[in-house]
Amino acid sequence: MSKKYILEMFPYPSGNIHMGHVRNYVIGDICARYHKLKGDKVIHPMGWDAFGLPAENAAIQFKTHPQDWTLQNIKNMKDQLQKLDLDLDWDREIATCNEDYYKHQQELFIDLYNAGLAYKKDALVNWDPIDQTVLANEQVIDGKGWRTGAEVEKKNLSQWFFRITDYAEELLTGLDNLSLWPEKVKTMQKNWIGKSIGAEIKFEISGSTDFLNIFTTRPDTIYGATFIAVSINHKIVSSSLDKKSIKDIKNTFASISNEKEKYGIKLNVNCKHPILDKEIPVYIANFVLDTYGEGAIFGCPAHDERDFEFANKYSLPIIKVVECKDTELPYTGDGKVINSPLLNGLEKKDAIEKIVSYFKKEGIGNEKINFKLRDWGVSRQRYWGCPIPVIYYEDGSYRVLDKNELPVLLPYNVNLEGKGNALLKKEDWRKITCPKKNKIAFRETDTLDTFVDSSWYYMRFLNNKLNIPFDSKQIDNLLPVDKYIGGIEHAILHLLYSRFFMKALRDIYGFNVDEPFKQLFTQGMITHKTFKTSNNEWVMPKEVVSKNGTLIRLKTKEVIKEGPCEKMSKSKKNVIEPDEILNSYGIDATRIFMISDSPPDRELEWTEEGIQSSKNLIHRIERYFAKEKSIIQKDVEKNIEKFVNDIEKNILNFSLNKCVADIYTLFNYLEKTKSYLHDSNLSKKILTCIFPILPKLSLSINNNLFKSNNIDIWPKVNLDLIKDDKIILPIQVKGKLVTTIDTNKDYLEEEILKSIYKLDKIKKKLLDRKIIKIINVQNKIINIITN
RNA sequence: GCGCCAGUGGCGGAAUGGUAGACGCGCUGGUCUUAGGAACCAGUGGGCAACCGUGGGGGUUCGAGUCCCUCCUGGCGCACCA
């Protein structure tokens, strides 16, 4: 018996499930039910990603406490999910906002801290000066606070970070082993991690013993370096300009409307070229990122587009060091190195190798690998999240709590009105006496990013009652998740953070699992038609009727124009409520429609016709099994066997739309041949195979026919039975199909050719032609090649 | 701009390099009736035909929707990453 851990990304408890959830969970449920019928030990849990900002917003808007609001939402959504009759392990349920979840997360924080993977440093946040609060990136719209409309400021705050960059290399190479992940997601993660191999080079500052570090992927172009550019936040800027000038420059940078326009200020500093006996100027440039590499570059205008543009603007020299035509400048391709005494004639790869070893020898540079990936900032200046188990003393020092001092409970009675973080204002919670040092201390008032909550929930599901975060033995036995199903929007952050957690905790606890999710499946979103009035007001589809070919709004008789199909959203009024659909069409019709009209990883367009025909199929299957038994045709068994084989293959491939086609094909056949067989093993086989997709229907028919609530286990396919001994063989002349003939499998080529030559259609084609060659792909095709 | 993915009937979509369009929707004609959110039967890529057809053009192959090159269009992601 093998284990199958099937997991759908757990939802944020917003209060109501939407069609996207339904599709997500139906896909997972079909897998889970299939594997159960196969006899696998299936783990199929569900829980709630229950911390996060919307609860705080709701608190202000509806005057409810975030906890009450969240718990009520969980209750509502659980009711709705249960109406969907999903085969979930509800006894594994967790909610990240429950003490019993987040206290273990505090333990993990301590583990990470002790392993050197959690640390504090200053970082910039979005600060709303009116609300006196920190904003998430998505709350900043066009540089303004979403609620106050105030110009958002960048503020430097001391914050907690997880050292995900320690795992950058493994997070990158690990992708190669994830053969069951979509290429697209792997590419996105690869780009996000952004590994570049290059060199770090020291540039001596003229008239000083100090130097500038520069990262480059093109050390082979060092002879072409004619300037240096640094970011405005580089330390050389603060040491050579006063604060006022820096602020002015920042403002100038910010005022450049075309983001790509190059702009620079020459500093009163030069650097020595590391090889040549010359000095090159240093600029502050708006296009140099301070978060990448060393925040400084050397400009080689001949072989870099940005440097070329900059050099032209400020009339800096352009020195060609890679062979190319002048018209090709800036030339960024490969070629032989020129104008570079140490490197002339070498190809790029050899030149890089040679120059780097020269730098090493001279002590002015080294190989360097650089990543785009930054450490993960996990502090959120928010109430509704997992408290960080840290206390601060009056002298500014801090202490990470011991595990026996946990949990740090989130206080219930807080003031969410007004400005600032509610925890900061909660003096009686914040201020404590440190039991260890017996002096006054203050709790950390930041809470953890909710991505932390979702980075290990799949571990907690394995044993949600345990008094420690998880049991390492169970992790080894039951992870990785075999099939993880969810939206593509989590391609980077959630999935990368979870992979990091898996690896970090592996190294701390010593378990043998490297990756949390063996197979990842990203389902497509659900779209629906949109409608608008002539004033561009959105109209709900059910308000629209067609009258003599024009669309009008039922109530007002306004003429309506049809828009494109778009992702369901409240603002576009094209949402379909799962509750309504379940009430009108039932669970099974809803389930099967979720997988009918397009492959599960692509968009699904919601249509009335679609859901209706799903319902019709269910009636049709019911009618079929209600018919009087009839004599069984010879081929019925074979066709059913083929059905079992096909539908199984398609479930395993997530080709669920083809499963629906398999069901139609089977019932088309059975009805066409009037084969009604419902008291036999054959009908039990059919009921088993449709059970994962249509559980309610399958059970009720099973009950009617066999007075049993038990669905048979998944049948083992008899491949001999499926084999065809008669085949239809296509006959081509010169690669073009002319006709087909019915024949036995494993025919003799000579014999079959004789009968082929007798066919009129073939005779006509062969008239006045000479046969050059016969291509017989046994049992597949015969191709007659003529002159 | 760079990267990835995709382009097949009226529509959604099927096709290990081997009969393109499975299956569904829609549509056409018919049947039946307790007039239904039905059901059943027949048909449905284009063309009167020979034939032509998988975004355009080239190529590989006996044979290409499928592989290669190139261009066009659309979607997604990244976006000055040195």
Side-chain angles (χ1 to χ4, degrees):
Chain A
M1 190 160 102
S2 72
K3 70 91 190 174
K4 290 285 170 208
Y5 187 171
I6 292 156
L7 184 63
E8 296 94 61
M9 290 179 184
F10 69 163
Y12 178 79
S14 58
N16 285 295
I17 60 167
H18 53 69
M19 273 298 163
H21 291 123
V22 175
R23 192 175 191 208
N24 189 174
Y25 305 148
V26 163
I27 292 168
D29 196 57
I30 291 170
C31 294
R33 286 177 189 269
Y34 161 78
H35 281 292
K36 276 196 184 171
L37 290 175
K38 276 300 257 194
D40 296 325
K41 177 186 158 64
V42 172
I43 301 164
H44 189 212
M46 181 55 76
W48 311 98
D49 189 10
F51 272 137
L53 207 47
E56 283 185 52
N57 296 332
I60 294 162
Q61 202 181 336
F62 307 118
K63 307 244 184 267
T64 55
H65 191 279
Q67 179 173 313
D68 303 340
W69 185 81
T70 303
L71 295 180
Q72 183 57 46
N73 283 349
I74 289 175
K75 198 172 163 297
N76 290 351
M77 284 178 76
K78 189 171 175 182
D79 283 349
Q80 292 172 336
L81 282 187
Q82 282 177 327
K83 275 189 213 154
L84 270 173
D85 200 20
L86 300 165
D87 191 8
L88 290 164
D89 307 338
W90 281 112
D91 54 338
R92 296 184 186 272
E93 182 180 3
I94 55 177
T96 56
C97 67
N98 286 347
E99 175 194 339
D100 192 44
Y101 186 83
Y102 72 70
K103 73 179 181 193
H104 298 297
Q105 187 159 303
Q106 291 171 343
E107 228 178 300
L108 297 182
F109 180 91
I110 295 170
D111 288 332
L112 290 169
Y113 178 78
N114 291 335
L117 292 171
Y119 67 97
K120 262 202 120 173
K121 73 166 183 193
D122 283 358
L124 292 173
V125 294
N126 303 310
W127 182 256
D128 186 319
I130 294 184
D131 265 1
Q132 294 280 302
T133 188
V134 169
L135 299 178
N137 284 333
E138 57 269 25
Q139 295 174 311
V140 181
I141 298 154
D142 294 331
K144 298 196 170 72
W146 66 327
R147 249 199 325 254
T148 62
E151 201 73 40
V152 170
E153 298 167 6
K154 290 281 177 190
K155 195 172 178 180
N156 226 341
L157 291 182
S158 176
Q159 305 192 62
W160 286 96
F161 283 81
F162 286 164
R163 220 179 280 281
I164 190 172
T165 52
D166 270 16
Y167 287 84
E169 186 68 45
E170 198 195 340
L171 287 167
L172 182 68
T173 53
L175 291 171
D176 293 338
N177 302 325
L178 294 173
S179 58
L180 298 176
W181 277 41
E183 280 308 317
K184 186 183 168 151
V185 174
K186 289 194 277 185
T187 309
M188 284 164 75
Q189 292 211 353
K190 212 172 267 177
N191 293 339
W192 187 261
I193 295 168
K195 178 180 180 177
S196 314
I197 300 171
E200 193 174 76
I201 306 171
K202 282 182 188 174
F203 282 72
E204 217 181 296
I205 298 168
S206 309
S208 152
T209 51
D210 221 356
F211 54 82
L212 272 177
N213 266 330
I214 282 176
F215 173 74
T216 178
T217 53
R218 292 296 301 275
D220 56 315
T221 63
I222 186 71
Y223 285 93
T226 58
F227 67 95
I228 279 172
V230 299
S231 112
I232 181 74
N233 295 317
H234 196 279
K235 63 175 193 287
I236 197 175
V237 175
S238 47
S239 61
S240 40
L241 291 177
D242 58 68
K243 281 190 177 165
K244 165 102 179 37
S245 326
I246 295 174
K247 202 169 178 200
D248 288 347
I249 296 169
K250 276 188 182 169
N251 286 338
T252 314
F253 282 4
S255 69
I256 296 169
S257 53
N258 175 8
E259 269 186 27
K260 294 253 165 157
E261 192 188 328
K262 303 287 175 286
Y263 188 85
I265 304 279
K266 193 169 178 300
L267 277 176
N268 206 7
V269 177
N270 285 334
C271 276
K272 286 183 183 153
H273 190 283
I275 301 174
L276 299 168
D277 183 24
K278 68 170 183 183
E279 298 204 341
I280 55 177
V282 180
Y283 283 79
I284 306 169
N286 66 336
F287 68 96
V288 180
L289 303 171
D290 62 312
T291 52
Y292 185 75
E294 302 290 335
I297 60 149
F298 75 74
C300 175
H303 306 291
D304 183 283
E305 280 164 28
R306 298 152 299 184
D307 299 348
F308 186 77
E309 223 181 292
F310 193 79
N312 277 331
K313 180 156 180 179
Y314 295 103
S315 307
L316 295 159
I318 296 168
I319 302 170
K320 227 163 69 169
V321 292
V322 178
E323 205 168 55
C324 63
K325 291 184 197 126
D326 282 354
T327 51
E328 290 175 317
L329 290 178
Y331 176 77
T332 56
D334 291 359
K336 279 202 171 64
V337 180
I338 55 169
N339 295 331
S340 308
L342 284 170
L343 306 173
N344 281 337
L346 294 177
E347 291 295 332
K348 180 171 161 185
K349 190 170 156 271
D350 300 327
I352 290 176
E353 208 170 290
K354 185 158 180 195
I355 195 72
V356 170
S357 68
Y358 171 79
F359 287 151
K360 271 159 96 172
K361 202 179 73 198
E362 299 293 316
I364 50 174
N366 239 314
E367 292 118 350
K368 168 96 187 202
I369 290 169
N370 206 34
F371 292 94
K372 277 205 286 196
L373 184 68
R374 308 281 90 197
D375 274 341
W376 173 16
V378 293
S379 293
R380 294 293 179 272
Q381 292 72 29
R382 291 287 165 194
Y383 163 69
W384 191 234
C386 171
I388 299 175
V390 173
I391 55 173
Y392 296 87
Y393 300 107
E394 284 172 306
D395 63 2
S397 64
Y398 64 83
R399 179 169 72 85
V400 172
L401 298 180
D402 292 338
K403 287 191 182 180
N404 62 23
E405 295 174 277
L406 299 181
V408 179
L409 293 179
L410 194 61
Y412 182 87
N413 289 314
V414 290
N415 175 16
L416 289 154
E417 303 278 328
K419 297 170 176 180
N421 180 353
L423 289 177
L424 203 57
K425 292 181 286 186
K426 177 84 178 155
E427 236 358 68
D428 58 338
W429 174 82
R430 235 186 110 207
K431 191 171 172 184
I432 61 163
T433 305
C434 171
K436 264 193 159 176
K437 299 193 177 176
N438 198 24
K439 62 178 179 179
I440 288 176
F442 295 92
R443 292 194 188 283
E444 169 71 82
T445 55
D446 286 354
T447 53
L448 289 172
D449 180 6
T450 54
F451 275 121
V452 178
D453 309 344
S454 55
S455 289
W456 69 286
Y457 77 110
Y458 52 89
M459 302 183 190
R460 185 66 188 168
F461 272 142
L462 298 177
N463 191 339
N464 61 344
K465 316 256 176 350
L466 210 63
N467 58 2
I468 50 173
F470 39 70
D471 170 0
S472 298
K473 223 182 240 162
Q474 282 183 320
I475 300 255
D476 282 342
N477 291 337
L478 301 173
L479 283 181
V481 171
D482 292 276
K483 298 181 189 212
Y484 193 38
I485 306 160
I488 187 85
E489 65 273 19
H490 293 113
I492 297 177
L493 295 182
H494 163 57
L495 289 167
L496 196 66
Y497 294 150
S498 296
R499 294 181 62 222
F500 160 64
F501 251 67
M502 187 82 240
K503 292 169 196 299
L505 295 175
R506 171 200 65 194
D507 292 342
I508 292 167
Y509 286 86
F511 36 73
N512 295 315
V513 185
D514 298 317
E515 289 285 346
F517 313 119
K518 187 171 169 192
Q519 179 168 20
L520 174 69
F521 189 85
T522 53
Q523 98 271 5
M525 61 189 188
I526 302 187
T527 63
H528 194 196
K529 271 188 212 158
T530 54
F531 296 97
K532 274 184 181 180
T533 63
S534 49
N535 309 326
N536 285 329
E537 184 199 338
W538 301 97
V539 179
M540 290 202 280
K542 66 178 172 190
E543 289 185 70
V544 178
V545 288
S546 170
K547 207 171 180 184
N548 306 326
T550 41
L551 298 170
I552 58 160
R553 188 177 195 167
L554 212 51
K555 268 191 290 186
T556 61
K557 312 293 177 208
E558 287 166 280
V559 174
I560 297 296
K561 45 185 179 177
E562 189 173 341
C565 235
E566 296 199 61
K567 181 179 179 176
M568 286 186 182
S569 79
K570 281 200 183 118
S571 61
K572 288 176 184 150
K573 294 202 176 161
N574 64 342
V575 171
I576 296 289
E577 293 298 339
D579 267 355
E580 288 177 27
I581 297 306
L582 286 174
N583 288 337
S584 342
Y585 295 96
I587 291 165
D588 281 347
T590 309
R591 285 173 71 98
I592 202 165
F593 179 56
M594 289 293 104
I595 58 166
S596 284
D597 280 6
S598 47
D601 55 346
R602 274 197 237 169
E603 281 182 3
L604 172 73
E605 186 187 339
W606 178 272
T607 59
E608 276 303 308
E609 293 86 349
I611 182 71
Q612 185 54 48
S613 63
S614 295
K615 184 74 185 171
N616 293 344
L617 174 64
I618 285 163
H619 287 315
R620 187 175 157 193
I621 295 172
E622 275 171 348
R623 279 198 308 275
Y624 170 83
F625 281 104
K627 294 260 184 168
E628 289 294 310
K629 175 175 151 186
S630 68
I631 297 155
I632 294 173
Q633 311 263 325
K634 215 171 64 189
D635 277 346
V636 166
E637 206 177 340
K638 175 173 159 184
N639 274 276
I640 291 174
E641 208 65 16
K642 210 167 133 20
F643 166 71
V644 176
N645 190 48
D646 291 347
I647 200 166
E648 179 165 31
K649 229 170 36 199
N650 287 328
I651 288 174
L652 287 170
N653 277 338
F654 282 105
S655 301
L656 300 179
N657 55 325
K658 288 191 258 169
C659 292
V660 180
D662 293 335
I663 294 173
Y664 275 108
T665 307
L666 176 72
F667 283 95
N668 286 350
Y669 168 82
L670 291 173
E671 280 167 356
K672 191 129 207 155
T673 57
K674 300 200 185 331
S675 312
Y676 304 109
L677 39 82
H678 36 268
D679 57 353
S680 67
N681 286 329
L682 293 177
S683 17
K684 287 192 178 171
K685 243 185 212 181
I686 296 172
L687 292 174
T688 296
C689 294
I690 64 170
F691 177 77
I693 296 168
L694 304 166
K696 206 176 169 188
L697 175 73
S698 172
L699 265 175
S700 92
I701 295 170
N702 192 63
N703 228 317
N704 284 342
L705 293 181
F706 310 114
K707 311 290 170 239
S708 159
N709 284 321
N710 295 324
I711 295 289
D712 277 7
I713 60 159
W714 195 272
K716 195 168 160 42
V717 177
N718 180 354
L719 289 172
D720 287 339
L721 210 60
I722 304 179
K723 273 190 199 151
D724 286 303
D725 21 295
K726 296 252 188 222
I727 54 169
I728 299 167
L729 188 70
I731 312 299
Q732 296 181 336
V733 174
K734 286 181 86 173
K736 285 196 172 179
L737 181 77
V738 177
T739 186
T740 61
I741 58 168
D742 295 333
T743 174
N744 288 322
K745 212 174 176 181
D746 302 323
Y747 52 84
L748 289 172
E749 185 180 332
E750 266 176 49
E751 280 177 24
I752 202 155
L753 280 172
K754 272 184 214 162
S755 49
I756 287 170
Y757 293 144
K758 284 179 199 154
L759 298 170
D760 283 346
K761 278 187 176 174
I762 298 292
K763 271 192 206 160
K764 225 167 109 189
K765 285 281 167 192
L766 296 182
L767 212 63
D768 301 328
R769 302 212 174 247
K770 222 164 72 189
I771 295 170
I772 299 167
K773 197 172 164 191
I774 301 290
I775 292 179
N776 172 36
V777 183
Q778 191 68 30
N779 299 332
K780 274 274 160 78
I781 203 161
I782 287 182
N783 191 359
I784 303 166
I785 312 301
T786 65
N787 59 348

